Amino acid sequence: MPLPTPFFPRTSALCHSMKWKEWAGYYAVCSYETLHDTEYYAFRNSAGLLDVSPLYKYRVTGPDAAAFLSRIMVRNIEKLAIGRVSYCCWCDDHGKVVDDGTVMRRGEQEFFVTSADPCYSWFSRFLRGYKVELSDISDQVAGLALQGPTSRDILKQVCDADLDGLKYFATCKARVNGFEVYISRTGYTGDLGYELWVDHEHALKLWDAIMAAGKNYDIRPAGLDALDVTRVEAGLILKDVDYFNALHALIDDRKSSPYEISLGWTVDLDRAPFNGQAALQAEKEEGSKWAIVGLDIDWPQLEELYYKRGLPPVLSNHAWRSSIPIYTAKDKRIQAGYATSGTWSPILKKNIALATVQKKYDKIGTELQFEVTVEHVRHTVSAIVSKTQFYNPERKTFTPKSSKS
Amino acid sequence: MSKKYDAIIIGGGHNGLICAAYLAKAGRKVLVLEKRHVLGGAAVSEEVYPGFTFSVASYVVSLFRPHIIRELELAKHGYEVIPMDCSFLPLPDGDSLARWADPHRSRREIARFSKKDSEVYPEFSRVMTHMGKLAKAVIDHPAPNINSIHPKEIANLLRLGKAFKDLGPDLLNLNIKLVTMSALDFLDLWFESDVLKAPMSVSGIIGTFQGIRSPGTAYVLLHHYMGQLDGVFRSWGFSKGGTGGVSMACARSAMSYGAEIRTEAPVKQVLIKNGEATGVVLENGDELYAKTVISNLDPNRTYLKMVGESHLEPDVLKDIKRFKLRGSSGKVNLALDSVPEFSCRPGDGDHIRGDIAIAPGIDYLERAYDQAKYGEFSTRPYINAVIPTLTDPSLAPPGKHIMSCFVQYAPYHIKQGAENWPKYREAFGDTVVDTLAEYIPGLKDKILFRQVLTPWDLEQTMGLTEGNIFQGELSLEQLLFQRPVAKYSGYKTSISKLWMCGSGTHPGGGIMGASGELCAKTMLTSRAI
Ligand SMILES: Cc1cc2nc3c(=O)[nH]c(=O)nc-3n(C[C@H](O)[C@H](O)[C@H](O)COP(=O)(O)OP(=O)(O)OC[C@H]3O[C@@H](n4cnc5c(N)ncnc54)[C@H](O)[C@@H]3O)c2cc1C
């Protein structure tokens, strides 16, 4: 039986569609209205407010906190500056990804970590020898994502933080009407946006303050359906959809290295030992087997298939997450890989997908064949390998008061 | 004398009935002879108290082989098992642990005792899922005959070897641990909390005269996991109408294929002529003849009572006498006026709809075993209780309930001598009720009727020698090609034309149906019938 998050009194009052799902043991709204379109456009045009409390959250403190996290993460956390956030993944001994999340450095000896799976037991396996304290604060800290072009303006009305100076992937402490929140300029929409972390007791006050301030900026509560569309547009991968936690994978073939899931850029090999280092070093030298790529699925061809059946081309406005076979352009009997999630992008007007393909097919511009079913009959249409990041607006990283120092 | 039957099956336990169904379906003329007035053996439902139908002995179903349901059309004949959602552990200090099918709900519950354990728990289930793949290789085929060089036997052995090899080195290593370690040591590899380990470890001792720290009990743990391919709790379930419902579905299936079934027809002996079984003689003196005879009884009863020592080679006799039965458990069935309420979690919520374990710690379980070692029943025993009426209200009048309690340890050989068990029966029943009342304060006032079955009673009524619930311990040396004895394991016996189909043969005990099925299939493919 899922639990309500601290925002439930507000979210449940607003969720007219009655569409909920379970997320990490909590109730989460799929969409507040029957169709999620307005929520999607809020993320892209104004601001959407999303309850992300079900994420797992950990606090790591102590003199060895940075060294300890560096031992676990594929990135070198010792190099992370105070007030900065690092997007990371962490691996088992064989260099296979266990989970991904963010690490925020709040102080010399204080870090805040988010993850998709419970990781307390995994992290604590490596505690020995480090002067650190690891605490699971998942049930004490609530999270809100305020995402979209007007999010900065809204947040300015609510708190005292220097938001014009807060850079992409930076974090700071702020005060809202007498209580404290942590703000990080992060999110899962690939747009300008913030995530706010607040103690349970102040959660509703924070929600109310943001919603009130957002009135003039077209704020809307947004659910996971809209988020799912934006995250595919942004090329952000999702655990249990685009890859699997190595500790839970039933067979080895379901495990992936960071290189294979487009997170190779996060791997910092040349440093003190960390989990999976040797295996990742070897993989870097020998090459990986798989790669996650973006697929731009040919629209005219798809349209044609629909027209042939006398139908207009209608795609669901929901992002999908089922495995779809991808074939080589030359020979439709040879499978090059499989798509794991995709969506019709309302803003790009493109049919896009994230796919895992054999390494030899991962070059940008490579033509592949994507399986589609039109009126119960299977066909393939051409799909071009592209960057996973389909949508990347300038505002995402733009900082008005870009401090030169 | 004309041989009217192709086979006479002694015993109408679920395995005997399944064996009969398969043979009848293949066109053979079959007669089942059951001693009691009801069918089912240890999988039996009886209205022991007016209006209340007890699953007298076995009480939950999990290992039953799904292909048998399909092949014998058991769903059509009334087979229905409703899955249980929860495993509940009340604790004496007012706390409790409920493990649910919902993984997040379980995680939150376990985290109250150990955060680490709560997250390792799904990893453990994942590994056990892999182990469960072995079930296909181990349970669904006759055990390979390692003394034979027949290509079929070699293929059989290779298949078993391959299934182990396919586990991969990490899991294979674990498997070797499973086979050699104690249940507790095995769980120690994963978990730290007693509160979690205690109720998990008991799967390793059910029906075994061993403690959770005894080497080899990890295997019994696996045995209980094998049927549970789709998750830890999902596939334990209540049979509609009690576990006798399974047996009755098997009986109806057998009859639909033309098998003949007689109750209140106790067999006195197997008729043997020139080393060959020719039929049976009933207690009432009637003689019945058949081309083959199949015994659903345990190995001890089959060889020593039905056949008789005079027909046995010394080696076989020695092995059979050494076959470990050592009953270690009893059963207490309660008819209740209303729902029992646990003080630690009051109400009739979902937590008491599954199985309820009285196993509040490792030491508690070890202490329970200590007493049994010296010939006493445990004064604070491990109890596995279920309230099937919450799921299947047809078993009792509206609002009334049944609490079915499996109790360990109750050794067959008490120091006063097994035959004196009847004198201690009620004291044993009191112990069980007193133990439960520590968690359910109002229990005693709710009891309308109580049925107490000691191992001695299980032997007397159901013909389970020494009251062993599995027709022989599930210790490794008594499994696979060594069940019941190394020389005669493939459902054959040392007497020509006499076969065995009970849980005393491979793959062993539990409401599983595999022994009955595999015996029939072995006889048919080897043209023994
Ligand atoms: C108390 C108890 C609890 C259990 N709990 C569970 C459980 O919850 N889940 C589970 O899966 N398993 C459980 N088991 C084990 C399971 O019930 C048995 O392993 C299984 O039912 C055995 O079936 P069988 O057909 O092989 O043999 P049996 O059921 O033993 O059948 C043998 C039959 O032969 C008959 N018979 C004996 N002598 C003669 C004779 N001389 N002439 C004619 N007939 C004769 C008997 O009456 C009986 O019907 C439990 C067993 C017991 C005793």
Side-chain angles (χ1 to χ4, degrees):
Chain A
M1 197 171 33
L3 297 178
T5 76
F7 299 111
F8 190 76
R10 298 295 180 270
T11 53
S12 55
L14 291 163
C15 185
H16 303 304
S17 70
M18 303 295 276
K19 287 188 188 170
W20 296 82
K21 72 176 184 186
E22 190 246 42
W23 173 14
Y26 290 92
Y27 286 109
V29 174
C30 297
S31 65
Y32 286 86
E33 305 300 328
T34 317
L35 298 176
H36 63 253
D37 302 42
T38 48
E39 294 160 39
Y40 165 82
Y41 280 106
F43 280 145
R44 291 290 181 235
N45 283 319
S46 50
L49 187 64
L50 177 83
D51 177 5
V52 294
S53 305
L55 283 170
Y56 295 91
K57 304 160 220 93
Y58 304 94
R59 187 181 6 212
V60 183
T61 52
D64 293 338
F68 167 70
L69 286 169
S70 298
R71 156 89 161 88
I72 294 170
M73 306 289 160
V74 298
R75 274 186 116 162
N76 188 355
I77 301 302
E78 303 212 57
K79 289 206 287 201
L80 188 70
I82 295 172
R84 296 292 305 169
V85 183
S86 166
Y87 173 56
C88 285
C89 62
W90 43 101
C91 292
D92 68 5
D93 262 8
H94 308 287
K96 302 298 184 192
V97 179
V98 171
D99 198 354
D100 67 313
T102 51
V103 177
M104 311 193 188
R105 188 161 201 169
R106 289 180 173 175
E108 181 58 34
Q109 301 189 0
E110 187 189 347
F111 293 85
F112 175 74
V113 182
T114 63
S115 69
D117 260 340
C119 284
Y120 180 84
S121 132
W122 179 251
F123 292 166
S124 43
R125 284 176 211 193
F126 312 104
L127 277 172
R128 192 180 303 235
Y130 291 102
K131 285 203 202 72
V132 289
E133 201 176 319
L134 166 70
S135 34
D136 185 342
I137 49 171
S138 304
D139 293 340
Q140 294 148 39
V141 174
L144 278 180
L146 178 64
Q147 305 274 305
T150 61
S151 56
R152 182 184 291 120
D153 297 328
I154 296 171
L155 218 48
K156 277 186 193 169
Q157 321 284 313
V158 172
C159 72
D160 64 352
D162 173 20
L163 292 166
D164 282 337
L166 190 72
K167 288 188 187 164
Y168 187 51
F169 269 75
T171 179
C172 67
K173 207 185 321 197
R175 287 195 77 75
V176 177
N177 297 337
F179 60 91
E180 235 169 43
V181 298
Y182 273 96
I183 301 177
S184 54
R185 192 165 158 196
T186 49
Y188 204 51
T189 58
D191 214 307
L192 171 66
Y194 301 85
E195 287 171 312
L196 298 107
W197 312 99
V198 64
D199 285 346
H200 275 194
E201 53 174 318
H202 304 304
L204 290 178
K205 282 183 273 175
L206 179 64
W207 174 282
D208 292 341
I210 294 175
M211 286 300 277
K215 241 193 165 109
N216 298 330
Y217 298 90
D218 195 22
I219 194 173
R220 282 182 173 276
L224 294 173
D225 285 355
L227 182 76
D228 217 14
V229 176
T230 58
R231 72 105 190 158
V232 175
E233 288 177 336
L236 298 169
I237 54 166
L238 181 58
K239 186 189 64 68
D240 289 339
V241 173
D242 303 304
Y243 78 95
F244 291 98
N245 178 333
L247 303 179
H248 299 163
L250 276 171
I251 49 174
D252 283 349
D253 281 350
R254 287 195 187 163
K255 302 177 182 175
S256 311
S257 77
Y259 297 111
E260 291 174 324
I261 59 170
S262 69
L263 296 183
W265 62 275
T266 65
V267 182
D268 231 334
L269 276 176
D270 204 11
R271 58 183 175 97
F274 66 94
N275 290 345
Q277 190 178 30
L280 292 172
Q281 180 74 51
E283 183 171 331
K284 183 146 196 225
E285 283 157 21
E286 287 155 25
S288 310
K289 257 175 94 178
W290 299 93
I292 285 191
V293 296
L295 287 182
D296 186 345
I297 302 157
D298 193 283
W299 184 249
Q301 285 183 25
L302 189 62
E303 224 168 22
E304 184 63 28
L305 290 171
Y306 278 97
Y307 287 153
K308 273 193 188 147
R309 294 301 316 268
L311 288 167
V314 236
L315 295 186
S316 157
N317 60 350
H318 276 90
W320 48 264
R321 40 173 79 175
S322 47
S323 175
I324 293 185
I326 307 290
Y327 303 97
T328 64
K330 272 212 198 102
D331 188 341
K332 288 183 196 167
R333 286 166 308 182
I334 298 176
Q335 197 170 339
Y338 49 94
T340 46
S341 46
T343 188
W344 166 251
S345 165
I347 202 143
L348 301 168
K349 300 283 180 271
K350 273 187 182 175
N351 194 15
I352 55 175
L354 295 172
T356 299
V357 297
Q358 292 170 48
K359 189 74 187 149
K360 57 184 164 194
Y361 303 111
D362 81 335
K363 305 283 161 306
I364 303 236
T366 306
E367 190 187 336
L368 295 169
Q369 291 285 322
F370 179 86
E371 191 174 287
V372 291
T373 305
V374 176
E375 244 353 62
H376 323 296
V377 179
R378 285 196 219 164
H379 307 268
T380 63
V381 295
S382 139
I384 307 295
V385 171
S386 67
K387 286 211 313 198
T388 50
Q389 207 174 51
F390 299 95
Y391 182 68
N392 189 20
E394 217 171 285
R395 61 176 181 261
K396 179 177 92 176
T397 50
F398 176 75
T399 307
K401 238 180 16 191
S402 188
S403 55
K404 301 265 156 18
S405 59
Chain B
M1 74 196 162
S2 73
K3 290 196 173 168
K4 200 171 148 209
Y5 299 104
D6 292 309
I8 286 177
I9 298 179
I10 310 171
H14 81 291
N15 274 316
L17 295 166
I18 284 171
C19 187
Y22 273 103
L23 294 177
K25 192 180 174 190
R28 308 299 189 271
K29 279 210 72 68
V30 187
L31 172 66
V32 178
L33 298 169
E34 166 56 46
K35 157 180 95 130
R36 300 194 65 208
H37 63 287
V38 279
L39 292 169
V44 68
S45 304
E46 285 182 76
E47 190 176 321
V48 177
Y49 180 67
F52 292 76
T53 304
F54 288 169
S55 286
V56 173
S58 62
Y59 50 104
V60 284
V61 184
S62 99
L63 301 157
F64 200 86
R65 310 312 298 146
H67 62 271
I68 299 179
I69 301 172
R70 293 190 290 270
E71 289 170 2
L72 297 182
E73 305 174 282
L74 295 184
K76 186 173 101 183
H77 294 292
Y79 179 97
E80 191 180 336
V81 172
I82 307 143
M84 308 196 302
D85 189 55
C86 182
S87 268
F88 181 57
L89 175 85
L91 292 166
D93 63 1
D95 209 333
S96 59
L97 170 69
R99 289 175 291 147
W100 307 87
D102 173 349
H104 291 297
R105 208 171 173 189
S106 293
R107 182 169 52 75
R108 286 196 294 263
E109 293 252 11
I110 298 168
R112 290 192 294 115
F113 301 97
S114 159
K115 196 154 196 59
K116 280 191 208 163
D117 286 0
S118 74
E119 294 178 16
V120 174
Y121 194 66
E123 286 175 42
F124 179 80
S125 305
R126 179 187 70 94
V127 168
M128 293 316 262
T129 305
H130 272 290
M131 296 295 181
K133 287 196 300 194
L134 282 176
K136 267 225 115 30
V138 177
I139 299 186
D140 291 344
H141 298 271
N145 178 353
I146 49 168
N147 299 317
S148 163
I149 52 159
H150 191 284
K152 226 167 69 196
E153 290 299 341
I154 289 176
N156 210 357
L157 190 62
L158 286 176
R159 188 182 31 69
L160 193 63
K162 185 173 178 309
F164 275 86
K165 200 177 128 262
D166 286 351
L167 290 174
D170 288 359
L171 289 172
L172 185 58
N173 178 17
L174 260 185
N175 207 285
I176 286 164
K177 288 184 176 155
L178 254 182
V179 164
T180 52
M181 288 175 110
S182 78
L184 187 60
D185 284 345
F186 184 68
L187 292 169
D188 279 340
L189 295 176
W190 271 276
F191 304 112
E192 57 183 19
S193 166
D194 251 31
V195 173
L196 182 62
K197 283 186 286 187
M200 288 179 83
S201 67
V202 290
S203 298
I205 51 154
I206 294 231
T208 312
F209 196 74
Q210 308 232 285
I212 52 172
R213 288 204 170 97
S214 314
T217 47
Y219 180 81
V220 186
L221 196 89
L222 174 65
H223 189 90
H224 282 91
Y225 264 89
M226 282 213 242
Q228 307 173 23
L229 288 167
D230 42 35
V232 185
F233 304 111
R234 270 286 151 81
S235 51
W236 280 103
F238 291 113
S239 166
K240 191 127 185 80
T243 55
V246 174
S247 303
M248 290 316 293
C250 299
R252 280 191 285 268
S253 166
M255 288 189 290
S256 78
Y257 298 125
E260 194 183 320
I261 299 175
R262 280 191 220 165
T263 50
E264 293 177 280
V267 173
K268 190 164 175 223
Q269 266 205 314
V270 175
L271 294 169
I272 297 171
K273 210 167 161 192
N274 304 328
E276 202 176 283
T278 57
V280 298
V281 53
L282 302 183
E283 290 284 3
N284 68 10
D286 288 357
E287 295 196 356
L288 295 159
Y289 302 99
K291 290 180 194 148
T292 57
V293 177
I294 305 166
S295 169
N296 184 194
L297 314 190
D298 65 48
N300 184 291
R301 240 147 241 262
T302 302
Y303 278 100
L304 302 181
K305 299 226 164 61
M306 294 294 119
V307 173
E309 293 196 19
S310 58
H311 291 283
L312 300 177
E313 313 154 30
D315 272 1
V316 176
L317 186 60
K318 188 184 75 198
D319 282 354
I320 286 296
K321 283 192 163 165
R322 278 192 194 151
F323 185 72
K324 283 189 288 194
L325 288 135
R326 306 195 300 184
S328 58
S329 36
K331 186 85 195 293
V332 174
N333 299 312
L334 304 173
L336 302 176
D337 197 32
S338 60
V339 181
E341 283 201 57
F342 285 80
S343 51
C344 59
R345 266 193 220 201
D348 61 352
D350 286 348
H351 60 290
I352 55 171
R353 286 169 61 99
D355 83 288
I356 300 159
I358 303 297
I362 303 292
D363 288 345
Y364 178 99
L365 295 170
E366 273 295 282
R367 236 173 265 133
Y369 179 49
D370 285 345
Q371 283 181 293
K373 277 193 286 198
Y374 305 111
E376 297 163 18
F377 59 78
S378 320
T379 38
R380 279 297 170 267
Y382 159 60
I383 300 174
N384 192 235
V386 292
I387 310 170
T389 36
L390 288 170
T391 307
D392 180 1
S394 72
L395 296 172
K400 312 276 184 230
H401 289 278
I402 291 168
M403 193 162 184
S404 179
C405 312
F406 177 83
V407 189
Q408 193 158 336
Y409 298 80
Y412 177 80
H413 291 293
I414 43 173
K415 59 181 178 222
Q416 297 87 345
E419 68 288 354
N420 282 314
W421 251 117
K423 285 191 216 149
Y424 298 94
R425 186 188 294 127
E426 292 315 315
F428 173 62
D430 289 342
T431 290
V432 174
V433 171
D434 287 344
T435 305
L436 288 170
E438 289 175 3
Y439 304 86
I440 314 168
L443 182 69
K444 288 182 188 169
D445 297 335
K446 299 187 185 214
I447 300 175
L448 301 171
F449 174 79
R450 137 178 140 181
Q451 177 189 33
V452 182
L453 293 159
T454 69
W456 170 263
D457 300 316
L458 292 174
E459 183 179 63
Q460 297 304 307
T461 47
M462 292 172 189
L464 293 164
T465 305
E466 295 191 21
N468 186 292
I469 68 166
F470 294 139
Q471 293 196 357
E473 266 187 21
L474 293 185
S475 46
L476 202 62
E477 76 277 14
Q478 300 197 158
L479 286 168
L480 286 162
F481 32 80
Q482 316 215 80
R483 192 169 183 90
V485 294
K487 219 164 159 191
Y488 299 101
S489 61
Y491 311 98
K492 280 192 186 130
T493 65
S494 65
I495 306 297
S496 169
K497 313 237 152 128
L498 174 66
W499 295 72
M500 282 175 66
C501 72
S503 44
T505 62
H506 171 81
I511 308 172
M512 167 146 77
S515 293
E517 173 219 6
L518 294 172
C519 171
K521 287 183 176 172
T522 305
M523 289 177 76
L524 289 167
T525 48
S526 65
R527 296 178 198 282
I529 187 169

